[in-house]
Structures are given as C-alpha cells and as structure tokens.
Amino acid sequence: MLCAIEAGIATVTLNRPTLRNSVTFAMWREVGDIFSKLGRDRSVRAVILTGAGSDFSAGADIGEFASTRDDRAQSIAYEEAVDHGCNEIANIAKPVIAVTSGYCLGGGAHLAMSCDFRFAHDAAIFGIPAARLSIVYGVQATRKLAALVGLTEAKRILYSAERFDAARAMKTGFVDHVSPDPMAAARAFAEQLTRNAPLTIAGAKYILNETAFGTFDATQAAGLIDAASDSNDYREGRAAFAEKRAPHFTGE
C-alpha cells in the first residue's frame, strides 16, 4: 500500500500491480489503518483510492484462501478484516473518490463501493464473481451494491457473476463518471471539494450514508449539525458571503 498527500488530497494506492492489485488478508487491515490515520489528519480534506499499474483491483487474493479462509472460523475472521478496511473508507468524515481502471472485481468492487464516488476509465471492467466460488458476498458489501444500483440490478450482478463494462456501470449507477483519464477528473473534483466546508461535508456524509443503510442516529446527526453551527467556519462562511470573497475553511 502507498499513501501520498499533496495540497490537502491524499492518494492511497493498492500496490500489487503484477497480481492486478489483489488484496491479501493483511492488506484489508492495512487499508483500514491507513484510512483511520487519514481521518485524524486535519491537513487531509479529500482522499483518492486507486490501484497501481493498469488495474484497480481484481479482488481478494484467492490464492491465499487455503491458509486464510479455509473454514467457517477463518471466513468469519476474514470478513471482519474486509469490513474493517471498507468501514474505515465509508466512515471517514471526508470525501473519498475511487479511481478505477482495468479490473474492479469482487473485493475490489467492495472497496470502490465504500467510497463516496467512483470515477472509471472507459475501458474498466467490473464484476462480483462470488457465485462462481460459492461465497456469499458480505452483508455490508451487498447493502452498498443495492443502494447504488437498486434491488433487481444487484441481484443480476450477484446471481450471474457476469462482468460488465464501464458503460453498463454508468447506466446502472455503479459508477458516476467515465472518461479516458479518470484520475485527472478525480483530482479536479477533489480540489473543488477541498475548498468547501469540511464540517458540512462530514455532516452530510454521515446523514446520507446512515439513512441509506438504515443505521441513522438522530443524536449523532444533531451533534454534527450543532458542531457546524458553533464553528469558526460558520462565522467565516458568513463573513465571506458578506464581503463577496471566497471563504477559507479550516474545519474548526
């Protein structure tokens, strides 16, 4: 795994290009730890998740399943590691953009779906092959899929295990941007987001995500709303509006 920060934007890179960035058991934990650290870094205002080389990720490293996911107990521990990594992506109070090219399959799709946005190369290929391995795709991953593409399309993807192209992904809502240079588009979008109020984005992200997944906590939402109302950023936003200038937000 690689992580670089420039101008308030962190770029996290899955770094196993010779194996299509397949994700090992240890990497699931590492992804979670990296995003947890970025969540505490006040200098980071947006995150891009991508893969080294020509692929985003071909999914979990099935080659190690004999030693890491061989029975029920190991499968439970494995899913906990997957959920740790993906939960930290989904729950970080900052916007996260997945930039996908080449393969985005299985566990790689779960990583991408955990992000707020998915920018895809026009030749990217997507799919969830769990039905060809007799694996039930995880609860959290399945909920994310249904929230993005709807119930019937989620069933089609999971039951058929078929791969689909970027055009289909865009049509169904699996991705929200397709272009020949998704990284450039993602960086431009991330730069735009870094200029907006981080407390607003954090509050909106919590309310939208928790409403979508049925885990909304009104007390926590109220706390985020109140914190923004009491913030220096709120005063700065009002002053900038009155003075007809761009605001400078700090997240405080």
Side-chain angles (χ1 to χ4, degrees):
M1 299 287 300
L2 303 175
C3 182
I5 301 172
E6 181 181 357
I9 301 171
T11 302
V12 179
T13 306
L14 305 169
N15 191 34
R16 298 182 81 204
T18 59
L19 294 173
R20 298 188 183 276
N21 299 317
S22 57
V23 184
T24 65
F25 179 80
M27 285 172 67
W28 290 114
R29 284 284 171 188
E30 188 178 1
V31 168
D33 293 345
I34 288 172
F35 272 83
S36 178
K37 183 177 179 180
L38 291 175
R40 298 189 298 270
D41 188 338
R42 298 182 70 86
S43 72
V44 174
R45 302 285 283 274
V47 185
I48 292 172
L49 176 64
T50 192
S54 59
D55 297 285
F56 178 72
S57 174
D61 186 347
I62 298 173
E64 68 167 12
F65 275 14
S67 60
T68 62
R69 204 180 188 279
D70 190 47
D71 54 28
R72 180 185 299 182
Q74 286 189 340
S75 293
I76 292 171
Y78 196 94
E79 280 302 308
E80 289 174 347
V82 172
D83 286 343
H84 169 68
C86 292
N87 284 344
E88 291 295 340
I89 296 171
N91 294 333
I92 188 173
K94 303 172 184 186
V96 185
I97 307 166
V99 176
T100 69
S101 60
Y103 286 132
C104 178
L105 306 175
H110 190 184
L111 287 170
M113 290 189 295
S114 299
C115 300
D116 297 297
F117 307 98
R118 283 149 296 283
F119 283 34
H121 189 276
D122 50 19
I125 298 294
F126 304 89
I128 299 173
R132 294 179 182 168
L133 295 166
S134 192
I135 291 173
V136 176
Y137 209 47
V139 172
Q140 295 189 31
T142 301
R143 284 177 173 169
K144 290 169 187 170
L145 178 64
L148 287 174
V149 304
L151 179 60
T152 300
E153 182 65 14
K155 288 179 177 180
R156 187 195 70 79
I157 291 170
L158 291 172
Y159 295 4
S160 71
E162 292 175 350
R163 295 178 181 178
F164 52 99
D165 61 17
R168 175 83 184 188
M170 184 71 177
K171 181 180 180 181
T172 60
F174 190 88
V175 303
D176 43 276
H177 175 92
V178 175
S179 72
D181 191 350
M183 180 58 79
R187 288 203 64 86
F189 185 47
E191 288 169 4
Q192 175 189 339
L193 298 181
T194 63
R195 296 191 289 270
N196 290 340
L199 296 177
T200 299
I201 291 172
K205 180 168 182 173
Y206 174 80
I207 293 169
L208 289 168
N209 281 356
E210 301 309 304
T211 299
F213 301 131
T215 53
F216 179 77
D217 183 328
T219 300
Q220 187 166 344
L224 292 167
I225 293 168
D226 292 345
S229 297
D230 284 337
S231 69
N232 291 328
D233 276 358
Y234 177 51
R235 288 182 280 276
E236 164 64 11
R238 295 191 340 253
F241 180 81
E243 297 164 12
K244 295 182 171 54
R245 61 173 174 82
H248 176 69
F249 296 118
T250 64
E252 297 179 339

